[in-house]
Amino acid sequence: MQDLPYDVWWHITTFLSSDQIKGLLTVNRLLFGIAMDERYRTSLIGSLFHPDTLRSLKRLVDPDVALRVRTFIFKPGHICKLLQESTLEKSDAKVSNTLKKMRRSDGGSSSNSRMRMPIKTPPMAPEVALSHLVQLMGQMTSLATFQVEIRGEEHWYFQETATTFFALGWSTFGRNLQTLDLRVPLEDMAKVLPDPGQGTLGNLEMLSLRIIRASLGTNHNEVILGTILPFIHAHRQTLRSLTLDVAEQTNLSPLLLSLGLPSVTHLKLKQPFVSQEETDYTGLQRFFKAHRMYLTRFDIEIISIFTHFPAPYAFFSQECFTVALPRLLHLSIHAHHFTEEYTGGILPYIHQFKSTLMSLKVYAHHWSFEDARTLAEGFVSSGRLRELNISVFHFEPELLTILAVNLPNLEVLTLDFHEVLPGGQVYDSSSRREIPRFCEEMGQLFFPQWRLRSLNIRPLNLGHSERASCKAALVEALPNVDVFCGLGRKEYLSTQAFV
């Protein structure tokens, strides 16, 4: 066993959980390396009171440990805050000592000096943490994913901190970085992003940006077009995935109108929606037209923030959603708090991709039985759909029949629902007891030809014995399904957990 090559040991560990891999430190030299890689694969530096932060600050100063980090999550706000508080305390101490000397020279007493509230001392002094942070930034040579997060009041502490955290990091791991996730205010973008004069991140493939201002007085267009657009443009040849997470009503059209990304295959857009008049999708339409032959995945998450009730219209009938995307394989739609009137056009929009889609996920929109039937029937001619995630009002045996007939090649099905139908009980002569009517109808179905391998449904809101009967009926009717709600067939039947 000692002589097995590294690749064999690594393959063996792929069958283990992360915790099990981390426990292999003392088995042998090769497994020690694999366990160390797993232990430090993802590292966090945030609050100095967080144990993961302390572990990272102490261990990643070792170059052999730092090079094992593949994902680094950096939340600089707390360290910046403590650094400023430390500076103020030192300044206050000098003033206090001066006042004490003045009182003594005047013959006064210092016993009435103002009492300070005790401040919780972090396990590591912020100055020491900063020193370690700068050191490890220059040692994570294998970093592939970098996430930076600055939220709320943290912006003001970060803005006032003179230390440049990132310059050494970009020069160290920039050439290997594949994913960059910036969850920072627009005002901090220029301070976080690499200096244009330092060159580009030559292997950057995935870019995720949160679009939010720390101050309403900030001109978001100046930052978007003056800082973000040049950065994206500089990496246009390598970027394959772009995520824009817009946290406030911001017009992205000027940005989208200016983008040309010849390698992009994935666009994810998350944006608030007020009304048709206040949301401009001309940029999105142009982006689709310019990249129609490249896009294979599109995720859209629209959050309704109606402060009034504007005239309803068919949201998915807008011109931007009529652009043909002939290579689209994966579509995800998440419409928060949209009424039925606003989701009009969603079926025609989805069906225009029926010949190419392999996965479809629609969140926060409940389908009626008839709409679910129409949705499934639209894909019958292609047979390409492999994964479906939808919500329905009612989970009933006939729905599974419709899906099995129209989507015979479906492999993964996720269903959310309000209630199970049919309700009520019926006497079962074979078991001489009453069973749920759902079980009786499921007992008459059998899908040996359906290629479904995984079924994920919300817990059946029934009594324990009724739920057990319904689960048994599902398992019996679906012989090819290996995983029910994340569990194997036997475990799904035997578990006492509410699944």
Side-chain angles (χ1 to χ4, degrees):
M1 293 288 286
Q2 292 282 350
D3 297 328
L4 287 177
Y6 176 89
D7 290 345
V8 174
W9 283 116
W10 181 85
H11 182 71
I12 291 172
T13 60
T14 60
F15 297 94
L16 305 178
S17 69
S18 178
D19 288 339
Q20 289 173 325
I21 296 173
K22 293 174 184 177
L24 301 175
L25 285 169
T26 60
V27 176
N28 61 39
R29 180 175 55 82
L30 289 176
L31 284 178
F32 173 83
I34 295 174
M36 286 289 286
D37 285 343
E38 186 68 25
R39 182 176 292 254
Y40 293 102
R41 180 177 302 279
T42 299
S43 294
L44 163 73
I45 291 183
S47 168
L48 288 185
F49 294 107
H50 197 293
D52 288 347
T53 295
L54 294 176
R55 187 186 72 163
S56 296
L57 287 170
K58 292 176 180 178
R59 297 292 290 122
L60 299 188
V61 293
D62 181 345
D64 181 61
V65 176
L67 63 81
R68 300 177 187 274
V69 180
R70 298 294 185 271
T71 298
F72 183 47
I73 303 170
F74 183 35
K75 303 178 181 181
H78 189 244
I79 292 179
C80 292
K81 178 180 179 181
L82 292 180
L83 286 170
Q84 289 191 40
E85 289 178 348
S86 177
T87 302
L88 291 173
E89 286 178 6
K90 291 176 182 177
S91 177
D92 287 351
K94 290 181 179 179
V95 173
S96 178
N97 289 333
T98 301
L99 290 175
K100 287 179 181 179
K101 291 177 182 178
M102 291 173 62
R103 290 192 187 99
R104 292 194 188 101
S105 64
D106 292 338
S109 172
S110 61
S111 59
N112 293 324
S113 60
R114 180 167 57 93
M115 298 293 292
R116 285 183 174 272
M117 292 295 291
I119 299 176
K120 186 178 180 181
T121 303
M124 179 181 290
E127 294 81 4
V128 176
L130 176 61
S131 174
H132 285 209
L133 177 59
V134 172
Q135 182 179 349
L136 66 90
M137 276 286 192
Q139 298 179 161
M140 293 186 293
T141 55
S142 301
L143 195 66
T145 299
F146 188 28
Q147 176 183 316
V148 185
E149 184 175 331
I150 301 172
R151 294 184 178 272
E153 67 172 9
E154 294 175 353
H155 156 73
W156 306 106
Y157 297 111
F158 179 76
Q159 190 179 58
E160 295 297 323
T161 301
T163 302
T164 302
F165 298 101
F166 303 96
L168 184 58
W170 294 129
S171 62
T172 301
F173 52 70
R175 61 183 178 275
N176 294 322
L177 199 67
Q178 297 175 354
T179 301
L180 179 59
D181 183 356
L182 299 183
R183 308 177 186 186
V184 306
L186 291 176
E187 293 89 340
D188 296 326
M189 283 290 180
K191 193 173 179 179
V192 172
L193 287 172
D195 189 321
Q198 293 183 336
T200 62
L201 310 177
N203 290 298
L204 188 65
E205 296 184 355
M206 302 177 67
L207 176 63
S208 178
L209 300 171
R210 183 170 174 81
I211 309 297
I212 187 172
R213 295 175 294 177
S215 170
L216 295 179
T218 300
N219 187 326
H220 57 262
N221 273 331
E222 287 185 2
V223 180
I224 292 174
L225 299 181
T227 302
I228 293 176
L229 177 59
F231 178 79
I232 296 177
H233 182 73
H235 297 85
R236 65 188 182 280
Q237 297 296 339
T238 60
L239 278 179
R240 300 177 61 82
S241 174
L242 177 63
T243 297
L244 299 173
D245 180 357
V246 186
E248 55 184 332
Q249 189 70 12
T250 301
N251 185 6
L252 286 182
S253 281
L255 174 64
L256 294 173
L257 285 168
S258 305
L259 291 180
L261 305 173
S263 299
V264 73
T265 61
H266 178 203
L267 174 67
K268 181 176 182 179
L269 176 63
K270 180 179 179 181
Q271 189 174 24
F273 174 79
V274 177
S275 68
Q276 183 178 12
E277 295 75 18
E278 297 181 61
T279 307
D280 181 7
Y281 284 112
T282 57
L284 181 61
Q285 182 178 358
R286 188 267 173 193
F287 185 91
F288 282 152
K289 288 182 177 179
H291 302 86
R292 59 186 298 271
M293 298 306 296
Y294 314 134
L295 285 176
T296 61
R297 180 185 295 270
F298 176 48
D299 301 332
I300 183 168
E301 188 170 353
I302 302 298
I303 305 167
S304 170
I305 52 173
F306 298 135
T307 54
H308 59 290
F309 295 95
Y313 76 106
F315 181 84
F316 289 99
S317 295
Q318 296 180 91
E319 288 187 11
C320 64
F321 297 116
T322 62
V323 178
L325 303 175
R327 299 186 178 181
L328 195 69
L329 301 177
H330 310 283
L331 176 63
S332 174
I333 300 172
H334 200 157
H336 296 264
H337 311 303
F338 270 66
T339 61
E340 184 176 348
E341 293 83 0
Y342 281 89
T343 51
I346 192 171
L347 271 171
Y349 172 63
I350 292 172
H351 281 161
Q352 68 176 308
F353 309 116
K354 62 184 179 183
S355 62
T356 60
L357 275 189
M358 297 189 67
S359 73
L360 172 64
K361 300 177 182 180
V362 184
Y363 303 95
H365 173 75
H366 281 80
W367 302 81
S368 67
F369 179 82
E370 289 304 321
D371 283 345
R373 180 201 296 271
T374 304
L375 173 68
E377 289 176 346
F379 288 93
V380 69
S381 60
S382 71
R384 288 179 59 86
L385 199 66
R386 297 293 186 272
E387 181 177 2
L388 178 64
N389 185 332
I390 60 172
S391 300
V392 293
F393 288 109
H394 304 123
F395 178 46
E396 47 193 311
E398 189 176 355
L399 176 63
L400 291 179
T401 300
I402 290 171
L403 296 177
V405 170
N406 293 284
L407 306 173
N409 297 317
L410 195 68
E411 297 176 356
V412 179
L413 174 61
T414 301
L415 288 174
D416 190 14
F417 52 87
H418 282 317
E419 63 177 328
V420 175
L421 290 183
Q425 304 278 329
V426 63
Y427 182 76
D428 178 43
S429 58
S430 61
S431 62
R432 297 182 179 181
R433 61 184 179 89
E434 288 192 338
I435 61 172
R437 291 181 60 197
F438 175 88
C439 295
E440 181 193 34
E441 292 195 10
M442 281 301 306
Q444 301 172 20
L445 302 177
F446 189 55
F447 304 102
Q449 304 301 320
W450 200 9
R451 296 185 180 181
L452 194 68
R453 295 291 181 268
S454 175
L455 175 64
N456 303 291
I457 58 174
R458 69 177 303 168
L460 301 171
N461 192 19
L462 302 168
H464 176 71
S465 60
E466 293 177 332
R467 187 167 66 251
S469 298
C470 291
K471 288 162 61 176
L474 280 170
V475 171
E476 182 69 22
L478 300 167
N480 295 324
V481 174
D482 300 318
V483 178
F484 289 84
C485 302
L487 304 175
R489 295 173 66 88
K490 290 182 179 180
E491 189 178 1
Y492 178 66
L493 292 174
S494 62
T495 182
Q496 299 297 311
F498 185 57
V499 295

